[in-house]
């Protein structure tokens, strides 16, 4: 073994500098360090034929072969991190070529956690804060390099905090500010907010439990022993607080890729979610590829969530990876369950539901003629609605079973969502698959039995158009057919899209002090009489703000760029894309005499506009596709994303095309409720209930891609 003496040159990399410091410490002589490992590391320090990359590979090869070496290195790192030394050990600073000393890695100052004494606690932070996420070794709490393969069966920790962007964070390249400004500051006498952190994985082993961090109005987050209770002050002192939340996880025993999801929530609202992937091998070695990305952000600015009621449950929908999408359901008291669906399953279920929905109000014959199954009042008979609800309930029960295959999963969902709830659906960025949440039916049904009509549920529908639960719910047994078994009649379901950088979650649409105006993009190839009658009703609703009529793409472009109104209404055909000229898997909107509007058109119009008036107006967009024979349009999600370029506060649309007369009534009732001051969630629910009173279930076909609390500003 080499004697301690001058090394051939300056350290080639951080690992060599660390190994030199270890060799100069008492940890080098600990009996737990295998003699063979000691000799190999010692020889490595004096090799001159290796570059930094080769040195690192040899360094980790020893760690992979000798568990005692890994344990001693972690103890050494822990001692340096905490400023503690082994018996008789002195800290050995690294020396740069210019002679300057580099302080030991443990001597890192941490800024004050508490606000400065002269800081006004009511002041909002004036700088962005970020979610930081790193993988660390448990004992040393040193960062595991992103290019290191994780060892199978070894335990690591996630290090989580919110504050200044850390260069060691796996999210450092994204620089997506954490949406702290939307918090209500309801905790610790208004000094900040308790946040919940949930980690889920199908690959890594994770501890059960709920993790909390406290985020003050300014500065860095912390963890402490105080119970996370709303409105109650902290009893801890600054010395009791830790800057980071550490969550242990164990790599799977089998080598290969492994993934986990981390979600940060506030009173049931999903603020941000992160996906992490890592490579697992037989032992730690180079050529790893640990990466993380923010895949959903509720808002990036001030939205004052204190005005929002707490969300009962949040559902995170991950985009398909390898053909499989992950659905995580979280309640305020922690995770409920995780489900996995293939893209084929989702598309098949959506296709069947759309066909059933369309078939409840129209029949499409081979000669392309269309028979309307609802009367001139958009109503059906009581017997007909029983048949319609039964068909939908069987489809909804299949959806529920598809989502929750095991009995414990179904029981967990029913327990959390038995009472009327507010459910937030968080669709991962770039996901293009929808799921018909409103049509889920969670009362048990079998295939062969006759369904029993719930008289109490129907009586409640006719008694109160705001009702969301059956008074006889406790008596619902097998094969009970009750309207409130459908999630769409029992819950408020919101699907706010992930907010682009710098955009806020909109809770208000329109300008302050200005009466809402309506921009109508209409088709000229549908029934003229029905259209004229519909526009007359809308002009009455928008008598103060006015209705701006657009039947050409150029006039629509000008209206959108000029932000002519707080409300935008697409009233016309939804078409399939032209495979030779338009992107696949999206719906094309047709207005006028055949002008086709695609998401790319909207993006180009927004990009070419020098003005940002849409930020001020933040319109509500209603996509009311009508009078088409197509029972399977592509998802509106591409349009939801496209309208965000015009700072749309929200988009409401239907996943099937609706007969024109029915589309008229639903559009008129929805705008009427919004103009009366109701939020989107209650307004859409009331429209559904009004149609259900007429024995029409097609209100369930409409979905709100926005906050359920979104409202219209009106003239003061």
């Amino acid at each position: 073994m080499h004697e301690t003496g001058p090394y051939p040159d300056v350290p080639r990399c951080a690992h060599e500098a660390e190994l030199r410091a270890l060799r100069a410490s008492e940890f080098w002589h600990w009996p737990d360090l295998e003699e063979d490992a000691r000799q190999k590391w010692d020889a490595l320090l004096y090799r001159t034929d290796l570059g930094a990359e080769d040195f690192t590979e040899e360094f980790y090869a020893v760690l992979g072969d000798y568990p005692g070496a890994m344990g001693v290195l972690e103890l050494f790192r822990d001692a340096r991190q905490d400023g503690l030394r082994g018996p008789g050990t002195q800290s050995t600073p690294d020396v740069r070529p210019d002679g300057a000393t580099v302080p030991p890695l443990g001597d890192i100052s941490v800024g004050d956690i508490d606000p400065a004494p002269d800081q006004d606690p009511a002041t909002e932070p004036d700088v962005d804060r970020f979610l930081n996420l790193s993988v660390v070794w448990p004992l040393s709490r040193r960062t595991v390099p992103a290019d290191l393969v994780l060892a199978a069966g070894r335990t690591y920790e996630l290090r989580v905090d919110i504050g200044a962007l850390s260069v060691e964070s796996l999210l450092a390249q994204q620089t997506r500010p954490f949406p702290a400004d939307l918090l209500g500051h309801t905790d610790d006498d208004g000094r900040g907010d308790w946040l919940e952190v949930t980690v889920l994985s199908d690959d890594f082993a994770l501890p059960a439990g709920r993790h909390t961090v406290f985020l003050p109005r300014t500065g860095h987050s912390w963890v402490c022993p105080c119970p996370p209770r709303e409105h109650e002050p902290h009893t801890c002192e600054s010395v009791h607080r830790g800057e980071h939340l550490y969550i242990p996880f164990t790599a799977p025993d089998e080598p290969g890729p492994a993934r986990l999801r981390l979600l940060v929530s506030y009173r049931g609202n999903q603020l941000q979610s992160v996906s992490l992937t890592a490579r697992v091998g037989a032992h730690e070695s180079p050529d790893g590829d640990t990466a993380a990305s923010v895949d959903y952000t509720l808002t990036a600015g001030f939205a004052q969530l204190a005005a929002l009621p707490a969300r009962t449950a949040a559902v995170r929908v991950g985009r398909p990876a390898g053909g499989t999408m992950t659905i995580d359901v979280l309640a305020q008291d922690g995770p409920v369950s995780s489900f996995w669906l293939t893209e084929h399953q989702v598309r098949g279920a959506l296709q069947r539901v759309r066909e059933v929905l369309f078939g409840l109000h129209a029949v499409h014959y081979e000669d392309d003629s269309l028979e309307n199954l609802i009367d001139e009042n958009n109503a059906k008979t009581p017997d007909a609605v029983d048949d319609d609800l039964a068909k939908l309930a069987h489809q909804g029960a299949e959806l529920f079973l598809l989502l929750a295959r095991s009995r414990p999963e179904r029981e967990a969902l029913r327990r959390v969502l038995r009472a009327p709830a507010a459910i937030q659906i968080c669709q991962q960025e770039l996901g293009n698959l929808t799921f018909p949440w409103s049509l889920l039916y969670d009362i048990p049904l079998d295939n062969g039995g006759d369904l029993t009509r719930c008289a109490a549920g129907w009586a409640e529908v006719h008694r109160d158009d705001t009702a969301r639960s059956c008074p006889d719910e406790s008596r619902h047994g097998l094969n009970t057919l009750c309207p409130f078994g459908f999630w769409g009649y029992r819950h408020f379901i919101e699907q706010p899209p992930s907010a682009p950088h710098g955009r806020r979650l909109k809770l208000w649409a329109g300008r302050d002090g200005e009466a809402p105006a309506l921009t109508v993009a209409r088709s000229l190839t549908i029934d003229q009489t029905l259209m004229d009658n519909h526009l007359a009703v809308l002009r009455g609703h928008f008598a103060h703000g006015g209705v701006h009529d657009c039947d050409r793409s150029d006039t629509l472009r000008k209206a959108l760029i000029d932000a002519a109104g707080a409300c935008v209404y697409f009233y016309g055909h939804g078409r399939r894309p032209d495979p030779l000229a338009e992107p696949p898997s999206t719906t094309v909107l047709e207005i006028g005499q055949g002008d086709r509007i695609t998401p790319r058109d909207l993006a180009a119009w927004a990009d070419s506009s020098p003005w940002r008036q849409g930020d001020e107006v933040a319109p509500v967009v209603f996509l009311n596709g009508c009078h088409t024979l197509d029972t399977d349009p592509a998802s509106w999600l591409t349009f939801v994303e496209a309208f965000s370029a015009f700072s749309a506060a929200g988009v409401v649309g239907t996943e099937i095309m609706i007969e024109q007369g029915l589309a008229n009534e639903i559009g008129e009732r929805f705008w009427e409720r919004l103009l009366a001051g109701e939020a989107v969630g209650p307004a859409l629910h009331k429209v559904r209930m009004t149609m259900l009173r007429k024995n029409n279930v097609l209100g369930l076909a409409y979905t709100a891609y926005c906050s359920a609390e979104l409202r219209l500003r009106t003239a003061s």
Side-chain angles (χ1 to χ4, degrees), residues 113 115 123-132 161-166 175-183 185 191-193 195 214-222 272 300 501:
I113 295 177
T123 303
E124 300 292 347
D126 57 1
V127 295
D128 287 330
R129 290 183 285 184
F130 301 85
L131 175 64
N132 293 305
D161 67 83
I162 300 166
L165 186 64
S166 168
T175 62
R176 180 84 62 93
F178 185 78
D181 296 330
L182 59 80
L183 301 177
H185 308 313
R191 295 183 178 88
D193 304 275
L195 308 180
F214 186 80
L215 184 65
R217 286 197 171 199
T218 59
H220 203 280
S221 64
W222 73 65
Q272 216 165 51
H501 179 60

Side-chain angles (χ1 to χ4, degrees), residues 96-116:
R96 297 204 310 241
D98 60 5
T101 60
V102 180
L105 293 173
D107 301 338
I108 301 174
S109 61
V110 178
D112 291 337
I113 295 177
D114 291 325

Side-chain angles (χ1 to χ4, degrees), residues 388-409:
D388 290 350
L389 273 183
K391 292 176 183 177
L392 273 186
H394 280 296
Q395 289 297 320
E398 288 290 341
L399 292 173
F400 190 69
L401 187 62
L402 181 67
L403 193 65
R405 294 181 179 85
S406 70
R407 180 177 179 180
E409 290 172 336

Side-chain angles (χ1 to χ4, degrees), residues 535-571:
L535 291 178
V537 173
L538 294 178
R539 289 190 178 96
H541 289 343
F542 289 87
H544 298 292
V547 174
H548 182 61
D549 198 356
C550 300
D551 55 20
R552 298 196 316 272
S553 61
D554 57 342
T555 57
L556 174 62
R557 172 180 171 273
K558 186 177 187 304
L560 292 175
I561 291 175
D562 293 345
C567 306
V568 178
Y569 187 38
F570 278 85
Y571 176 70

